[in-house]
Amino acid sequence: MFTSTSTIDWASIGAMIIYLLLLAVIGWFLKNRIKSGNDFWSGGRNVGPIATAFSYCAAYYSTVAVIGGPAMYAQYGAGYEAVEHIGNQFVTCFLMLIVLGMKMRIVSERSGAVSLPGYLAVRYESNIIRITSAIVIAVMMIPYGVSCFKGIGTAMSIVAGIPYGISIVIIAITALIYMVTSGYFGAAMIDIIHGIFIMFGIAALCIAVVSACGGVTEALDMGTIAEPLLGDIPGPIGSWSLFLSYSLIWAFIGFGQPHLVTKFFALKDSKTISTVALISMIWCSIFAVFCTITSLGGRGLFDNQLSDWDMLTPSIAYIHGNFLIRALFLCSVVAAGLSTVVSLVLSAASAISKDLLEDGYMAAHNRNMDNKTTAALSRLITGIVILVMVALSIKPWNMVWQLAAMAAGTMGASFVAPLTIGLYYKKATKAGALASIIGGAVVTIGGYLVKLNDAIHPFMPGLIVSVILFFTVSAFTEKPSVNVIAMCFDKNWRTK
């Protein structure tokens, strides 16, 4: 049974080092663009559609792109994968960008918000909502980030033979250099490179699988031969409630993910959203094809040989890949993990620095900071958040993957209603939004604690309760002010 390699692959390590140095150099050269906290958190709202699309896709797929995704599809089958990718295409790459992205770009600029808590505080005229949402984000982003670090470290140790702890430190130092120096704008530019290498990596794995199986058709057939249920719906997962809730969760959960939503804040203008959607859909379609072949063929190649299905793609690269495939895979894992880690860290750090300290504590005490101090504080908090994630990643707890899924589900259930519905529902109130955030978080976390996830993903009941509370409480509480309604819904607001 294959577990890992103790042989150091210096060629793959060399390729990875070149890749990491490239990222660090780009980040360093872009540091002069940061003149204020707003530049650091939102790139001065001047990020183009190509960078936004790649940044969006890379952050959305994360390490799941090349490790967790193929592992899940190898277990649950082609039907599960097809439904999930259709959901990703229509909901995440089209509906979310058109429904949420376009209007979010407009109102975020009108409100001056550079973070999700900042926008919610202005939309609902409530500092309590700012603090509550900032705490939810800051707490939930930590296990999410730790899971990404763990994925990168595990893959690097298996494929290249680099000790796990050293792998974590290498990645953290690289992220620290280009993120602390250049903020969101630098991260978005670098995400173009990340998006390209993620695609190269999954394509390389697909080539390795097709070569080992003897062809594309043979690769697809080997999975269903190893497990006949992989070709059926709902397949090995058994229950329809589990099948639908788990296969569609990542499509709908994105509406409440701060590290995805804030991509729209930084976009150059709302008119380029259609370009972002087109590029994202093309990227995801190509990825889906490569991933399907890799996961089903990999199931046939490694059936009953792996102690953990998360080792599927590293094992493919190590056993069936040549130097180039291993190098591309290693760089793609680094790219996938870094893109999401950086987005998560920026979201958590902005919640602490911008929302809790600057706009929360400092504003409450009538104290202001100049642009230079704000930028320095932003960099300091970002560095601290990375160090916390690294410390927890060196010896991660056994349930880190489950905690990461719970974190994503909790944020999704908490923010979908007040954020997305609040963009279109004029009668939404601050009491309704606060009840929605707290109710969604409590029900989702409670669902995990009572093991509701054995029957349905807890995000679903959490979202339902959140939406019900949002409308019900809003119906009986004080309505928003005329100024807020004008800012969010008046097309001619700029001229008034």
Side-chain angles (χ1 to χ4, degrees), residues 235-436:
I237 202 169
S239 165
W240 274 101
S241 62
L242 280 174
F243 176 83
L244 291 174
S245 63
Y246 275 82
S247 62
L248 292 175
I249 175 180
W250 292 107
F252 290 97
I253 211 171
F255 282 89
Q257 300 304 303
H259 65 292
L260 297 179
V261 172
T262 49
K263 304 290 183 188
F264 310 135
F265 290 22
L267 191 60
K268 186 175 295 185
D269 60 70
S270 61
K271 297 178 182 178
T272 57
I273 282 289
S274 58
T275 304
V276 177
L278 178 62
I279 295 173
S280 299
M281 291 180 72
I282 292 173
W283 193 97
C284 290
S285 296
I286 296 172
F287 173 82
V289 173
F290 288 142
C291 195
T292 300
I293 298 170
T294 300
S295 58
L296 292 180
R299 175 62 187 261
L301 291 172
F302 290 95
D303 191 42
N304 298 321
Q305 296 182 44
L306 300 176
S307 58
D308 182 354
W309 280 109
D310 281 340
M311 295 174 62
L312 176 63
T313 51
S315 301
I316 292 171
Y318 178 68
I319 294 178
H320 296 288
N322 55 26
F323 151 69
L324 182 59
I325 288 175
R326 291 195 300 273
L328 285 173
F329 171 73
L330 192 59
C331 289
S332 71
V333 171
V334 171
L338 266 178
S339 61
T340 304
V341 163
V342 167
S343 295
L344 296 175
V345 169
L346 286 172
S347 294
S350 67
I352 297 170
S353 175
K354 179 68 176 172
D355 299 301
L356 291 179
L357 294 180
E358 184 180 349
D359 294 338
Y361 177 81
M362 298 293 286
H365 290 79
N366 296 316
R367 296 166 62 182
N368 297 316
M369 291 187 293
D370 57 34
N371 287 337
K372 185 176 181 180
T373 303
T374 301
L377 178 64
S378 301
R379 288 185 166 110
L380 175 63
I381 297 298
T382 300
I384 291 174
V385 171
I386 290 180
L387 292 177
V388 170
M389 287 185 180
V390 169
L392 294 174
S393 300
I394 296 299
K395 289 186 178 181
W397 50 90
N398 293 331
M399 295 179 62
V400 65
W401 296 112
Q402 293 90 327
L403 287 173
M406 183 183 75
T410 300
M411 289 187 292
S414 296
F415 298 128
V416 167
L419 177 63
T420 307
I421 300 177
L423 281 173
Y424 294 91
Y425 184 54
K426 293 182 179 181
K427 296 181 180 180
T429 68
K430 61 182 178 183
L434 185 61
S436 178

Side-chain angles (χ1 to χ4, degrees), residues 125-148:
E125 302 171 284
S126 172
N127 205 42
I128 293 177
I129 287 182
R130 182 199 306 277
I131 294 171
T132 302
S133 56
I135 291 174
V136 170
I137 292 170
V139 172
M140 292 298 165
M141 286 296 184
I142 300 300
Y144 207 156
V146 170
S147 70
C148 290

Side-chain angles (χ1 to χ4, degrees), residues 91-126:
V91 179
T92 309
C93 295
F94 177 75
L95 194 63
M96 183 174 167
L97 288 166
I98 301 302
V99 172
L100 181 61
M102 189 173 295
K103 193 164 184 178
M104 194 76 257
R105 172 60 182 84
I106 296 172
V107 297
S108 66
E109 183 173 16
R110 291 180 177 184
S111 64
V114 295
S115 67
L116 179 56
Y119 165 71
L120 293 176
V122 176
R123 167 63 178 89
Y124 297 106
E125 302 171 284
S126 172

